[in-house]
């Protein structure tokens, strides 16, 4: 089985590389010296990633965002919010994992994801659920989603089971 965390890191970097490459290939009329420096920084980040130095590549990318902000480049990419960055990375990961994970594992993860979605939606739409229980719902769904993202079916199933037990206590699911 592939190193899923490594796939996630590669996808995160790949997404950022694509965004920056597209920006640098566009004709925006911005300061060419700054854009040239950003191109050089992007190449350094790519070299680090190719050598498996994910942390160093991420530092280069962070410096690129800082540099673009410092020089007030209006068309430069902005650092996405954490939720948006994770969503974009997940899209990249799905493309990669669909080619590398065994079919049986993908099916198991998809089944858990489906049950998680349905159970979570039922709980969120339930009436009479207090704030603490809603917080538990989001917590359990987040943990299960993380386990799914890392292709860890046992952990995802454990969190789904906890969510299903909570749904039973709330009268949303039958025993």
């Amino acid at each position: 089985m592939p190193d899923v965390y490594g796939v996630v890191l590669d996808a995160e970097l790949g997404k950022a590389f694509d965004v920056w490459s597209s920006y640098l290939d566009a004709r925006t009329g911005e300061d060419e010296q700054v854009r040239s420096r950003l191109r050089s920084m992007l190449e350094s980040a790519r070299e680090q990633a190719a050598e498996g130095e994910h942390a160093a590549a991420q530092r280069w990318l962070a410096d690129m965002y800082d540099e673009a902000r410092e020089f007030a480049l209006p068309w430069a990419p902005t650092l996405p919010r954490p939720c948006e960055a994770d969503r974009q990375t997940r899209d990249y990961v799905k493309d990669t994992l669909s080619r590398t994970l065994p079919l049986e594992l993908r099916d198991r993860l998809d089944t858990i994801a489906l049950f998680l979605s349905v159970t979570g939606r039922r709980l969120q739409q339930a009436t009479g659920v207090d704030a603490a229980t809603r917080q538990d719902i989001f917590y359990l769904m987040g943990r299960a989603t993380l386990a799914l993202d890392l292709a860890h079916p046992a952990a995802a199933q454990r969190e789904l089971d906890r969510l299903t037990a909570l749904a039973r206590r709330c009268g949303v699911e039958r025993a």
Side-chain angles (χ1 to χ4, degrees):
M1 182 161 119
D3 171 22
V4 177
Y5 185 66
V7 170
V8 170
L9 291 176
D10 289 342
E12 188 176 81
L13 290 171
K15 176 204 50 104
F17 294 161
D18 288 351
V19 168
W20 277 103
S21 290
S22 295
Y23 163 70
L24 293 170
D25 289 344
R27 296 184 192 280
T28 62
E30 296 167 326
D31 185 340
E32 272 308 309
Q33 286 182 329
V34 175
R35 289 169 56 89
S36 177
R37 177 160 164 66
L38 289 171
R39 273 188 198 88
S40 174
M41 294 169 79
L42 179 59
E43 284 311 308
S44 294
R46 283 189 170 152
E47 289 169 9
Q48 293 296 309
E51 294 172 8
E53 298 292 333
H54 293 103
Q58 288 171 332
R59 282 192 299 276
W60 276 110
L61 288 170
D63 290 346
M64 290 175 70
Y65 285 110
D66 291 345
E67 187 117 347
R69 190 175 47 250
E70 180 182 322
F71 286 97
L73 300 176
W75 308 112
T78 56
L79 196 57
R81 295 181 58 210
C83 183
E84 182 183 344
D86 287 348
R87 191 172 34 252
Q88 292 170 356
T89 299
R90 234 180 264 120
D91 287 343
Y92 272 67
V93 168
K94 286 178 188 175
D95 293 341
T96 304
L97 286 182
S98 66
R99 294 185 306 264
T100 58
L101 291 179
L103 180 60
E104 182 179 304
L105 178 57
R106 287 194 318 247
D107 286 347
R108 179 74 182 120
L109 294 170
D110 288 345
T111 300
I112 294 169
L114 176 64
F115 281 104
L116 178 67
S117 174
V118 170
T119 305
R121 190 174 314 117
R122 286 181 181 163
L123 271 166
Q124 290 169 1
Q125 294 173 349
T127 57
V129 176
D130 62 22
T133 302
R134 288 203 186 279
Q135 190 175 23
D136 291 344
I137 293 165
F138 289 123
Y139 177 77
L140 292 171
M141 289 184 67
R143 287 179 53 95
T145 300
L146 177 62
L148 289 170
D149 287 348
L150 296 175
H152 198 294
Q157 183 65 54
R158 182 178 57 244
E159 299 309 323
L160 175 59
D161 292 345
R162 292 172 69 193
L163 188 67
T164 303
L166 180 63
R168 278 192 217 104
R169 287 194 304 272
C170 292
V172 174
E173 295 283 328
R174 290 182 208 91

